[in-house]
Amino acid sequence: MSRTPLGMPGLRPGSGNLFAEEKFPSAARRELGNAQLRRNLKHATSTIRTKRLNVTGELPDWEELREAGSALKTSVMARLPELLEAFEANVTARGGTVHWARDAEEANSIIHGLVKAEGVDEVVKVKSMATQEIGMNEYLEEHGTAAYETDLAELIVQLDHDKPSHILVPAIHKNRTEVRDIFLKEMPDVDPDLTDEPRRLAMAARAHLRAKFLTAKVAISGANFGIADSGTLGVVESEGNGRMCLTLPETLITVMGIEKLLPTFADLEVFLQLLPRSSTGERMNPYTSLWTGVTEGDGPSNFHVVLLDNGRTNALADEMGRSALHCIRCSACINVCPVYERAGGHAYGSTYPGPIGAILSPLMTGVEAEENGSLPYASSLCGACYDACPVKINIPDILVHLRGKDVDAHRGGMPTQMDVGLKAASWALSDGRRLGAVEKLLPLGRAAAGKDKKIKKLPGIAAGWTQSRDIPAPPSQSFRDWWAKEHKES
Amino acid sequence: MKIALFATCIVDGMYPRAAQATVALLERLGHEVVFPKGQACCGQMHVNSGYFKEAVPVVANHVRAFESEDYDVAVAPSGSCVASVKHQHPMVARRAGHAGLEERATAVGKKTYELSELLVDVLGVTDPAIQLGSYFPHTVTYHPSCHGMRLLKLGDRQAGLLRGVKGLELVDLPEADQCCGFGGTFSVKNADVSSAMLADKTANIRSTGASVCAGGDYSCLMHIGGGLSRQDSGVATLHLAEILASTETEPAAVPGPAGQTVKVVVK
Amino acid sequence: MSTRDHILAAVRTALKDAPAVPEVPRDYRRDGDLAQGAVIEVLVDRLEDYKAGVTVVAEAQVPDTIQGLLADAGTYVVPAGLNPAWFGWETDLARVKYDGGSHGTLSVTALDATDAVVTGSAVTVAESGTIILDGSPDQGRRAISLIPDHHICVVHSSDIAQILPEALRRLDGTRPLTMISGPSATSDIELERVEGVHGPRRLDVIITT
């Protein structure tokens, strides 16, 4: 598929797995039909919501941490060129190599070249959104290199030849029984008596991956943070698969979006409090690894960072939307989103689902790309995401902003029912006398409602409303008319 | 105090009794209510649907209407419309490059209150049964609409007022803070997801055994009521203002599930 | 023009409106407010919550405590810089595998065949129950505290901070750092937490007073 570069000179839209190939409403309709999926999502999201509220509620300075996190990220975006240059210089000074990739294709090609240079045909992987976004596993596979996911959920998804549906718990759409069945079918040497107890399933994964960890020559990771003033990188994880990959192989390749920088090491004091509590709902995740370049006698002797643009500069150029790049991938917005809870992650098409995905994907690719223009409408604008976001990204405002871009992108074409309706409404609703005149027609609607005073079927786009809802018969007179009569005005 | 009523388009055209009840409440407290005639709509349907250009005249009309009247504060029986007036109007003007309109919209927004906010914070209503004569002998559950809860941070104001109504038994709504799925044109554009959200909301409402679901926004109540009506649930929806305006001598009628019966309660 | 220069140019283009750099409000807690005893109590509570084993002992009791915790271990790893007096009780020298310094390094296979590891620690955060290793000689390289299935970690009370900002100030950010909050765990299946996956499945913390 060819994606024509759009936007300002020098800016190019993101590529890879950032696209809704199908309009959100129809994808969501299909997913809604899966009752098991909805039960799994409801259980998982409500569990994690409760955990998050417990651990964010116990900190007396949670709001102050959010304020600091938000300001720090705003400052990073404003200072991005100098911070990127400092980061590069510091990584290099500490024995690492920095590569730059404008899009998915460039990143994949760099990574594949580095793997080939080590003379191996398999790599172990730490869960990483950046590598999902660029479709790295598929690329490497096409080029004869196997990439083994080592995070439990990513392993489940990979064994099932499925796609992740959540950025923190990619297999959230599967319940324990489904996971057991996948393991029994796809995992070589698995105990045939495996039960669906989560502990037993985790142990099966441990046994399955152990030899891979101990023999891997090359590992590929993402990064939660890159520290500009030291060149330090950080990975936050739970299972120890991250530590295995970051520590044991000779070569480590880390793929990091250019927006992941923090100015100083001390700034981790904010983000290492915000992230785990917002994410898994723990006071701290079990393991966080921080490393700077290469350390003699401890860990990989060969270290590469691939700095990824892939549409981030496109998002950065949008003054209203750029704060979407503040995202630290905690998934709190996803877990509180009522739309995600019903539709699930696959309905969004992109690697990034939920409220953040509904803004990030179209910001990175442009609203014109594929069906990404349908994503900003995938929200009732209830605002739960904004309340939950640890770095205070005003997701509802950006959703509305992107709807505006989508509407503007379609101006001049054939008007839709929505266009016609809202233009007419604008005329009627921008003048009290005009609205009053329209309200004189209320008795017509009252007559249409019939004896039970309910309207049960509407035509056109409004039919969506009456699929599950009635509309009451309108009143015999508007408030405006009532007021005029009460106050003897004409 | 001279209070300007912003009826909001949905109440003006579909649920006038909520505006009439608002007038009754304010007059009962001894205030003068005026109705700026030019008013129509806050325009959030346009803004939230991405039609910023079409929202500009709607916003300009609102600002003009509420500048043309002399009053101390303005009030609307809707958290959502007040949030739009306060937050969206200046933004729409700014996007359109109308610095003057932005400034004027901000000034209007500053003087505009949601009903419970006005009653509790400005007019000092702490005991509706005594101060307003509120009487409503029914079992009621309460849905806190998202924009009131999250944008205006109304907190316990609406539920607190309901608790102070004589005869009213307030029962907690499970998962109360979950959106009902209305979201303006969302309910049409993403009708399936919206319906799924509504199904959970109505199931939660019905599980309480309440005969009335109260709220502070007729947009959400129209949505919830539309679902309860379609399900023939027998549960009605009613605006906070109507419940507060109901008295022992003139009790509010509990309408049909879709809010069909229009019983004008004006003192 | 290199890819690097392309990206940096794109970033500059994207920022052509020259957004302001805000002052970062640091109104969150920078220092703890609890006395040392209370800080230790918080730490014990957090570690137990993560299902780690916790023992609070006087410095003199450390060797006995280690000996007890290692009772089930056939073999164990000791970083070269760890206090040798803590192992004075050991009679079966074949159980002990030293790593680092003049001992050289154990292979991955050798580490995998070892049951336990004993290390010191750099700094610990009570509020989140987080022990931080920085690769100092008493902690060794990262692999030794990762591969053996049982990690016994000694935390000196003077190295315990109440909250994270205090702890980070005591660290050199450029050393290889590992922050450990309980045994490895996963919540990937139905968000149910399972302790013990790839990292050590058993974590015992000895806090010295």
Side-chain angles (χ1 to χ4, degrees), chain A residues 233-410:
Chain A
L233 285 144
V235 163
V236 168
E237 53 128 358
S238 297
E239 298 170 10
N241 63 311
R243 291 176 70 192
M244 291 278 181
C245 293
L246 299 169
T247 311
L248 302 184
E250 288 160 16
T251 297
L252 172 62
I253 304 166
T254 297
V255 185
M256 183 177 87
I258 53 173
E259 84 286 17
K260 287 267 164 277
L261 294 181
L262 296 179
T264 70
F265 179 77
D267 296 324
L268 287 170
E269 71 190 19
V270 175
F271 289 91
L272 286 178
Q273 295 195 72
L274 290 175
L275 178 55
R277 287 179 196 258
S278 300
S279 184
T280 50
E282 293 166 304
R283 294 186 173 110
M284 188 66 96
N285 50 291
Y287 298 136
T288 295
S289 295
L290 296 162
W291 73 97
T292 310
V294 171
T295 302
E296 171 97 38
D298 188 350
S301 50
N302 195 5
F303 172 57
H304 299 270
V305 188
V306 181
L307 287 174
L308 181 67
D309 179 347
N310 201 34
R312 285 163 177 78
T313 47
N314 216 40
L316 188 66
D318 186 322
E319 291 177 39
M320 278 288 295
R322 72 168 52 120
S323 62
L325 295 172
H326 299 187
C327 176
I328 55 172
R329 309 287 190 261
C330 73
S331 76
C333 65
I334 299 174
N335 298 327
V336 298
C337 178
V339 175
Y340 175 89
E341 185 183 317
R342 272 94 189 167
H346 291 159
Y348 296 80
S350 162
T351 292
Y352 302 107
I356 187 65
I359 58 173
L360 205 48
S361 308
L363 280 165
M364 290 166 76
T365 65
V367 288
E368 306 88 348
E370 303 288 321
E371 301 296 350
N372 280 7
S374 73
L375 294 177
Y377 299 96
S379 167
S380 64
L381 304 177
C382 80
C385 49
Y386 183 26
D387 274 6
C389 178
V391 289
K392 302 185 81 163
I393 301 169
N394 191 334
I395 295 176
D397 271 6
I398 301 178
L399 286 165
V400 168
H401 162 69
L402 291 172
R403 291 176 187 186
K405 281 192 142 183
D406 178 62
V407 167
D408 288 344
H410 290 96

Side-chain angles (χ1 to χ4, degrees), chain C residues 8-21:
Chain C
L8 287 171
V11 173
R12 291 195 171 96
T13 304
L15 294 172
K16 66 178 178 6
D17 59 309
V21 179

